[in-house]
Amino acid sequence: ELAVGMIKIEYPRYDYKIESRAGKESIFDAVRKIWVSLTPEEWVRQNFLQYLLQVKQYPAALTAVEKEISLGELRKRCDIVIYDRLGKPLMMVECKAMEIELGEATMEQVLRYNISLPVKYLIITNGVHCFAFERWDTGFSALSEVPSWNG
């Protein structure tokens, strides 16, 4: 059982580029350098991305968005993966739409992902609520804040 404390995120001000394309709203992903469909989950992902880059000082060059990983025969996409300077995955962030409650099922999904992509830090957020975990040899422990980049 994970003792979990919810983390309050103070999002930075950011001038998002949003435009209507073919009748659908799109947002510019500054990391991927592409326009993507502005879904509720994408809005959370873009906001959390700016939080990691601006507030927690993670380098954009070591940040991957929608990174595909293999789980046996399954292929999964991780919302945000941050690498250390040696190119090893350091942090994985799973973003959910705001209306999705972050319960046991969501946490188990993220921990399952982590089997194929072992990272030191695991974050789960729906934009409103955020949970962070640190991986140890014996399992995971809940963190009281999202760790900052310490390059």
Side-chain angles (χ1 to χ4, degrees):
E1 185 65 19
L2 296 164
V4 177
M6 206 172 332
I7 299 167
K8 178 90 180 89
I9 302 293
E10 296 291 333
Y11 289 102
R13 291 182 64 86
Y14 183 73
D15 192 13
Y16 294 98
K17 292 185 196 154
I18 297 174
E19 61 180 45
S20 189
R21 296 172 153 232
K24 286 193 168 118
E25 274 202 305
S26 291
I27 189 166
F28 187 75
D29 183 318
V31 171
R32 287 181 282 181
K33 309 252 187 292
I34 57 169
W35 287 91
V36 291
S37 181
L38 183 53
T39 61
E41 186 180 298
E42 191 63 51
W43 178 243
V44 170
R45 180 164 40 226
Q46 291 302 319
N47 276 275
F48 204 80
L49 209 45
Q50 289 307 319
Y51 169 74
L52 289 173
L53 299 175
Q54 293 184 56
V55 179
K56 294 298 179 175
Q57 301 294 302
Y58 285 92
L62 298 177
T63 304
V65 179
E66 288 257 277
K67 174 82 179 156
E68 192 174 84
I69 58 167
S70 298
L71 290 169
E73 298 295 302
L74 285 173
R75 298 184 88 66
K76 296 276 185 189
R77 286 192 179 279
C78 299
D79 289 308
I80 302 169
V81 178
I82 295 178
Y83 295 87
D84 65 17
R85 294 222 179 272
L86 302 173
K88 199 169 160 260
L90 174 72
M91 176 188 286
M92 184 167 63
V93 181
E94 180 66 23
C95 301
K96 300 291 182 193
M98 284 185 196
E99 66 271 11
I100 294 185
E101 196 179 324
L102 299 182
E104 285 296 309
T106 311
M107 306 230 189
E108 283 170 18
Q109 175 196 7
V110 173
L111 296 175
R112 260 199 318 276
Y113 273 20
N114 199 244
I115 292 165
S116 71
L117 190 72
V119 291
K120 186 168 174 63
Y121 301 113
L122 263 178
I123 315 272
I124 309 165
T125 185
N126 62 4
V128 182
H129 303 123
C130 176
F131 298 100
F133 302 96
E134 184 169 0
R135 183 191 196 103
W136 300 95
D137 293 339
T138 53
F140 292 92
S141 61
L143 297 173
S144 58
E145 65 177 314
V146 173
S148 297
W149 173 254
N150 59 10

